[in-house]
Amino acid sequence: MSYLFSSESVSEGHPDKVADQISDAILDEFLRQDPDSHVACETLVTTGLVVVSGEVESKAFVNLHDIVRTTIDKIGYNKSEYQFDAQCCGIINALHEQSPDILRGVKREGRDGLDKVGAGDQGMMFGYATRETESFMPVGLELANRLLLELAVLRRDANDIPYLRPDSKSQVTIEYGKNHTPSRINSIVLSTQHDPFDQDDALMLEKIRSDIKEILIPRVIDQCPENLRAMFDSEIQYQINPTGKFVIGGPHGDTGLTGRKIIVDTYGGRGAHGGGAFSGKDATKVDRSAAYAVRHIAKNLVAAGVADQVLVQVAYAIGVVEPMSVFVDTYGSSKVKETDSEIARKVMELFDLRPAAIIRDYQLFNPIFSETASYGHMGREPGVKMVDFGIDGEKDERSVETFTWEKLDRVEDIRTAFQL
């Protein structure tokens, strides 16, 4: 029997994502100057105002105001009529030192090497992967992200659809058939902020709906791999700007906070999500770093042929080096003789999940987090970027790897372990 499953995404101009991007840009600057920085940065954005708070332990000196304004301008909030403008918004800095009670658990005195760093908090983290797409991500979230990424390109080009503003949301509902296989797109919901039009609301809405269907959708289809392209058909139900008008948006329309889009950040509601958000946190916070590690594990397990979909859970206690538990669920899709609990034991043998090992293996001491703060932390292509390390005026440019947890670099190890 068929069923429907929906996933949503939001653009970089969504107020919660504005907050995420500011928090991660601040984190990156601390790490650029001092890779040993401990940062837990929370941001609130609203009409004409940014409030940054949190706890930091670092040798770096960060010009917070410049980072905030540069980030907002890059997103596209650079006009006074948006009521949230990179050049004119107020900024309140409420960062303070990290609690020594937390720090003593993270920096374990008398320990060396990989046992020196304890987990920055208790909690459970999940990683998920599925064969539904080439990125091993759920197809609904993949398409929801593709819609908004292409919409952002159209907004910045300002040619084919010149009236777009930064805030937008998408939602894609997928119809699944036998064996939980995605078969087609049932519906697409898309809301995009726009300039006011010199015509009545009905004509404005008709223009937006026409441009989305005739310009955006064909461009997205053209860029999809063949299996996703085949899911678009004439029976798709569209809801485009269903309220009829979306001129007021961004932080002026809705207050934004760091960490409020955790399902967008991970798997669109598939699999599971742990108890913590990601943005603004350095890698000693295992609710971020361990979530990346178990995504890497799940993706490599599926790519190796262990199962068609995999959920991996890991749990920690604050200040403790070794994880409290590792759990694997293959949803009955396993291709190996081992049970799920036996797969979990092999995972513990193959992967080092101590916090310091995760930071080392995925190079999470580098300033690579700003790029994660919109369009998802998972399912992205690994890459390389150049970073000028050290304080201003010092030249120490190096290449650093990004989205390292998306690499398929343990497939052969897994195949050997499971005799595949």
Side-chain angles (χ1 to χ4, degrees):
M1 181 178 291
S2 66
Y3 63 92
L4 303 177
F5 190 89
S6 301
S7 295
E8 74 158 352
S9 183
V10 298
S11 71
E12 72 260 41
H14 185 281
D16 293 327
K17 277 292 148 203
V18 173
D20 283 345
Q21 289 166 93
I22 291 171
S23 292
D24 270 340
I26 292 167
L27 168 63
D28 274 354
E29 182 59 20
F30 274 105
L31 293 175
R32 186 184 72 83
Q33 294 185 35
D34 177 10
D36 293 324
S37 295
H38 291 180
V39 180
C41 178
E42 312 288 345
T43 303
L44 176 149
V45 293
T46 187
T47 303
L49 180 65
V50 177
V51 180
V52 178
S53 64
E55 303 80 46
V56 175
E57 195 261 337
S58 178
K59 298 174 184 176
F61 175 78
V62 170
N63 189 329
L64 185 138
H65 283 233
D66 280 355
I67 294 168
V68 170
R69 296 193 191 283
T70 299
T71 302
I72 295 169
D73 183 66
K74 183 179 178 181
I75 293 167
Y77 286 109
N78 46 28
K79 297 179 181 179
S80 60
E81 58 261 38
Y82 295 163
Q83 301 291 304
F84 183 77
D85 179 0
Q87 298 305 313
C88 301
C89 65
I91 300 171
I92 297 175
N93 180 357
L95 288 174
H96 59 83
E97 289 186 44
Q98 186 179 45
S99 162
D101 294 350
I102 295 175
L103 189 60
R104 73 191 299 268
V106 176
K107 289 187 173 180
R108 293 166 59 85
E109 297 299 329
R111 304 277 181 144
D112 294 316
L114 296 178
D115 287 327
K116 190 174 184 179
V117 179
D121 203 350
Q122 72 172 50
M124 69 290 184
M125 302 84 210
F126 290 95
Y128 177 77
T130 173
R131 285 198 179 279
E132 288 182 12
T133 62
E134 293 178 359
S135 62
F136 298 89
M137 291 290 286
V139 67
L141 182 62
E142 174 99 353
L143 290 171
N145 280 328
R146 284 177 177 268
L147 286 165
L148 295 186
L149 282 163
E150 191 58 31
L151 192 69
V153 172
L154 286 163
R155 171 171 62 88
R156 289 190 165 91
D157 288 347
N159 293 319
D160 294 320
I161 311 182
Y163 53 79
L164 296 172
R165 289 184 173 185
D167 194 358
S168 58
K169 300 179 74 172
S170 64
Q171 182 174 286
V172 177
T173 299
I174 301 297
E175 181 177 320
Y176 284 79
K178 292 181 179 180
N179 300 319
H180 305 284
T181 302
S183 58
R184 59 178 296 273
I185 300 168
N186 177 267
S187 64
I188 292 175
V189 180
L190 193 143
S191 296
T192 180
Q193 188 186 13
H194 56 84
D195 291 335
F197 283 16
D198 296 326
Q199 55 192 25
D200 65 44
D201 289 350
L203 288 174
M204 172 189 72
L205 184 58
E206 183 181 346
K207 169 67 172 170
I208 293 170
R209 288 175 173 172
S210 174
D211 286 348
I212 294 301
K213 289 182 181 179
E214 296 178 13
I215 298 173
L216 174 66
I217 298 298
R219 287 174 60 142
V220 171
I221 293 172
D222 286 346
Q223 294 172 15
C224 283
E226 190 171 343
N227 65 318
L228 298 188
R229 205 177 305 163
M231 300 183 71
F232 289 84
D233 61 37
S234 60
E235 301 301 315
I236 295 173
Q237 303 172 49
Y238 287 94
Q239 291 286 348
I240 299 168
N241 280 26
T243 64
K245 188 176 183 179
F246 189 5
V247 173
I248 299 171
H252 179 48
D254 190 11
T255 296
L257 294 169
T258 299
R260 281 209 301 200
K261 284 290 173 282
I262 56 177
I263 299 304
V264 173
D265 287 342
T266 53
Y267 309 105
R270 298 298 296 272
H273 193 286
F278 299 156
S279 289
K281 299 176 181 178
D282 74 88
T284 63
K285 281 73 174 175
V286 286
D287 43 9
R288 180 174 211 163
S289 55
Y292 293 166
V294 287
R295 160 61 180 175
H296 179 245
I297 294 169
K299 183 176 181 180
N300 278 264
L301 285 170
V302 173
V306 171
D308 290 335
Q309 62 173 327
V310 171
L311 180 72
V312 181
Q313 184 206 57
V314 63
Y316 291 89
I318 187 168
V320 178
V321 172
E322 295 289 344
M324 303 303 294
S325 66
V326 175
F327 165 83
V328 170
D329 186 355
T330 62
Y331 302 93
S333 70
S334 176
K335 311 296 183 185
V336 296
K337 65 180 184 299
E338 288 86 353
T339 65
D340 286 357
S341 60
E342 289 169 338
I343 294 172
R345 281 194 288 273
K346 282 187 179 289
V347 163
M348 294 174 69
E349 294 170 3
L350 287 166
F351 295 89
D352 192 339
L353 290 170
R354 290 175 292 176
I358 292 173
I359 293 169
R360 175 202 65 194
D361 293 344
Y362 302 101
Q363 301 178 47
L364 301 182
F365 45 78
N366 285 323
I368 59 172
F369 297 106
S370 293
E371 295 171 59
T372 70
S374 54
Y375 307 111
H377 295 244
M378 316 302 178
R380 310 284 288 277
E381 283 293 323
V384 175
K385 72 173 184 177
M386 299 302 297
V387 175
D388 184 10
F389 282 85
I391 61 174
D392 292 340
E394 292 186 0
K395 191 66 175 177
D396 184 15
E397 191 175 53
R398 301 175 230 158
S399 63
V400 299
E401 293 185 86
T402 60
F403 297 99
T404 50
W405 51 94
E406 292 295 326
K407 288 183 173 182
L408 291 175
D409 56 353
R410 299 297 303 277
V411 170
E412 291 307 316
D413 293 340
I414 292 169
R415 284 177 176 162
T416 298
F418 287 94
Q419 299 180 348
L420 291 170

